[in-house]
Amino acid sequence: MPSPPLAGGTAGPDALRPLLAVVLDALHEGAVARGGPFPVGGPDAVAARVREAAEPVLPDTGTGAEDALRTLVRTLAHGAADPANPLCAAHLHTSPLALAVAADLAASALNPSMDSWDQAPAASELEAVVSRTLAAEVYPERDDPDALVTTGGTESNQLGLLLARERHGAVQVVCAAGAHHSVHRAAWLLDLPEPVTVPTSSGVLDLAALDTALRDLPGPLLVVATAGTTDTGRIDPLPEIADLCRRHGAELHIDASYGGPLLFSDEHRGKLAGLERAQSVALDLHKLGWQPIAAGLLAVPDRAHLSPLRFTADYLNAEDDTKAGLPDLLGRSLRTTRRPDIVKIAVTLRALGRTGLGELVDHTCAAAQQLADLVDEHPRLELYERPTLATVLFRPAGATDEQTADIRRTLLADGRAVLGRARGGGRLWLKATLLNPHATPGDLAALIQEVLIELVEGGTPR
Ligand SMILES: *Cc1c(COP(=O)(O)O)cnc(C)c1O
């Protein structure tokens, strides 16, 4: 077999072109074979198809690029959950924009590693300017805001807690009962006290309870508020929380992993008022933002806040190199080798502009309102609450939690629709997270129809 060509250099694009054609055909064939939002048959059927395609995993003699790409990509696509289909709406899991995927190809082909300037001379500068621009969206009034590129909200929350700990010592985290689980894991990882959770009787962090907690707990204190909870999309009352933090001398980290991109929307930006008062803000562009995974950010109001992450490794950022003017990248992450996730973000921001991104955000939020209307008007469905972002919780009126859970699993097994689940008010709800910016009213009606068919065919009492 001839030695496999490399992706870089002047010859790389020509080597890639025929392989990409194979990949694109296989993606198409797999999507046709799947024929819907999700593979049919449940875990056993999917696993059997994958095992058949994947074996032998490591043959003595390779099967060649074309066979390997066609077989495995087709199988993956056939067995994929496809959020480009509006009936796939369980999680904060989006189909990426085609232009962002094309940009990601360039990132893969060039393969800059973001841990030293001599591996990423242009990509590191692109990361610097784009990160600063995005940080200025969060902190428009600050002189020198900055943002780190992360793998997502989990890493951003960890870094937010770490930076607070480096400023103040072992901070006591105080968060709402509905805060993301990664906040608890970050506290555990950083050896901080177990976070104190404040009730959310009205669906968001309860201000009176927060006031009491901040008064009674020993400091240093770090409040973690959420702008867009994973389960309901609710936004904690950020300005009031920031006021309480100031009054009690607590720091504030805001987990805007879900809601952060509302910043791009004239219509919805106001919901994030108070964001700029946090010492750090997590936001994800692989949710609202339509990027391929991963595309996370941690924004801080002042670049100096990032100094605890500085570290010197002689082979990456020797002091004399830095003094001679080579940019020092190691302090921009806890990771070493790091993908240039900024490339697809930069291309998306430039291609769509603020208006284009804002329109996508507006469309998804409007779709959630439309779905809520459809649920509300239907006598056999119950709506949990009016949506804040793009999440709608609903359930069949009169169904038990077991019946509700069964409907979700049946729709999954049949590959007909992908809905999530969430608890609220002590009951189980079906969750639709409508990140697909192309979903039409007809699609939303079809999503509901799948649940209604189950009510009849699954024998759930009317
Ligand atoms: C998704 C999410 C996270 C975790 O982000 P990842 O990108 O999955 O690491 C954290 N907080 C909230 C509110 C989220 O929605």
Side-chain angles (χ1 to χ4, degrees):
M1 196 183 299
S3 181
L6 301 177
T10 53
D14 284 336
L16 274 170
R17 217 178 303 272
L19 299 176
L20 285 181
V22 174
V23 168
L24 298 178
D25 286 346
L27 286 173
H28 180 83
E29 288 163 20
V32 170
R34 187 181 61 242
F38 201 75
V40 177
D44 291 345
V46 175
R49 277 196 303 271
V50 170
R51 278 199 300 267
E52 190 189 326
E55 297 285 355
V57 170
L58 181 60
D60 282 336
T61 305
T63 62
E66 219 174 284
D67 164 81
L69 283 169
R70 181 178 307 114
T71 306
L72 292 175
V73 173
R74 189 162 54 193
T75 304
L76 272 182
H78 183 173
D82 182 7
N85 184 311
L87 299 193
C88 180
H91 298 283
L92 287 160
H93 173 213
T94 182
S95 175
L97 298 170
L99 69 95
V101 173
D104 221 15
L105 174 69
S108 284
L110 295 168
N111 208 28
S113 182
M114 306 301 278
D115 47 329
S116 68
W117 185 77
D118 55 4
Q119 300 176 88
S124 58
E125 183 59 19
L126 186 67
E127 182 177 276
V129 295
V130 175
S131 309
R132 283 202 295 270
T133 301
L134 286 168
E137 293 291 307
V138 177
Y139 296 108
E141 317 256 279
R142 305 295 291 241
D143 294 333
D144 200 15
D146 201 356
L148 300 178
V149 179
T150 69
T151 53
T154 303
E155 187 187 348
S156 299
N157 287 338
Q158 264 172 27
L159 287 169
L161 267 58
L162 171 66
L163 293 176
R165 186 194 72 180
E166 293 306 294
R167 281 195 293 274
H168 301 288
V171 288
Q172 170 67 59
V173 171
V174 183
C175 60
H180 194 260
H181 63 82
S182 61
V183 174
H184 296 265
R185 296 230 278 192
W188 165 73
L189 179 72
L190 294 166
D191 209 14
L192 300 175
E194 176 75 18
V196 170
T197 54
V198 170
T200 52
S201 38
S202 60
V204 292
L205 195 149
D206 188 299
L207 290 169
L210 179 64
D211 193 17
T212 308
L214 295 183
R215 194 192 58 211
D216 294 348
L217 287 167
L221 299 170
L222 173 68
V223 175
V224 176
T226 308
T229 62
T230 314
D231 274 353
T232 67
R234 289 284 288 258
I235 298 173
D236 286 333
L238 305 178
E240 292 82 0
I241 291 172
D243 287 343
L244 287 177
C245 287
R246 180 185 301 167
R247 182 167 340 135
H248 293 284
E251 289 226 329
L252 177 60
H253 169 76
I254 298 180
D255 179 358
S257 298
Y258 180 5
L262 260 56
L263 286 169
F264 301 121
S265 158
D266 289 340
E267 186 181 343
H268 296 289
R269 187 182 310 122
K271 293 178 181 167
L272 295 181
L275 198 67
E276 72 289 349
R277 294 175 63 187
Q279 274 77 34
S280 50
V281 172
L283 68 152
D284 273 354
L285 294 173
H286 55 231
K287 295 173 174 174
L288 289 173
W290 299 278
Q291 296 302 298
I293 300 161
L297 293 153
L298 178 78
V300 294
D302 193 317
R303 187 187 323 199
H305 288 198
L306 301 176
S307 59
L309 299 178
R310 266 198 221 128
F311 196 84
T312 305
D314 198 61
Y315 72 112
L316 293 172
N317 60 347
E319 267 169 40
D320 53 313
D321 275 350
T322 304
K323 213 175 276 167
L326 300 192
D328 170 1
L329 310 188
L330 206 52
R332 299 195 60 81
S333 182
L334 292 179
R335 289 177 282 156
T336 309
T337 301
R338 186 159 69 81
R339 272 177 67 80
D341 288 317
I342 204 67
V343 175
K344 63 204 174 195
I345 296 174
V347 168
T348 302
L349 296 177
R350 182 175 168 116
L352 300 188
R354 188 193 307 281
T355 310
L357 270 168
E359 278 169 5
L360 295 182
V361 169
D362 293 350
H363 186 98
T364 54
C365 291
Q369 296 299 331
Q370 288 161 13
L371 182 66
D373 289 342
L374 290 176
V375 169
D376 220 9
E377 287 157 10
H378 203 288
R380 296 185 53 207
L381 295 174
E382 187 183 347
L383 180 68
Y384 178 65
E385 63 182 11
R386 294 305 304 182
T388 304
L389 296 177
T391 303
V392 182
L393 302 192
F394 65 103
R395 53 182 282 143
T400 63
D401 286 355
E402 290 70 29
Q403 286 164 333
T404 305
D406 266 351
I407 289 175
R408 188 184 98 85
R409 281 191 294 269
T410 303
L411 293 175
L412 274 183
D414 294 350
R416 278 155 50 200
V418 191
L419 287 166
R421 51 184 282 163
R423 294 209 155 266
R427 292 192 297 168
L428 186 69
W429 300 82
L430 297 171
K431 176 171 82 166
T433 312
L434 301 170
L435 295 192
N436 188 324
H438 302 143
T440 64
D443 294 327
L444 302 175
L447 187 60
I448 282 189
Q449 197 52 38
E450 290 295 349
V451 173
L452 292 170
I453 292 170
E454 261 325 287
L455 280 183
V456 179
E457 300 195 343
T460 302
R462 297 176 182 220

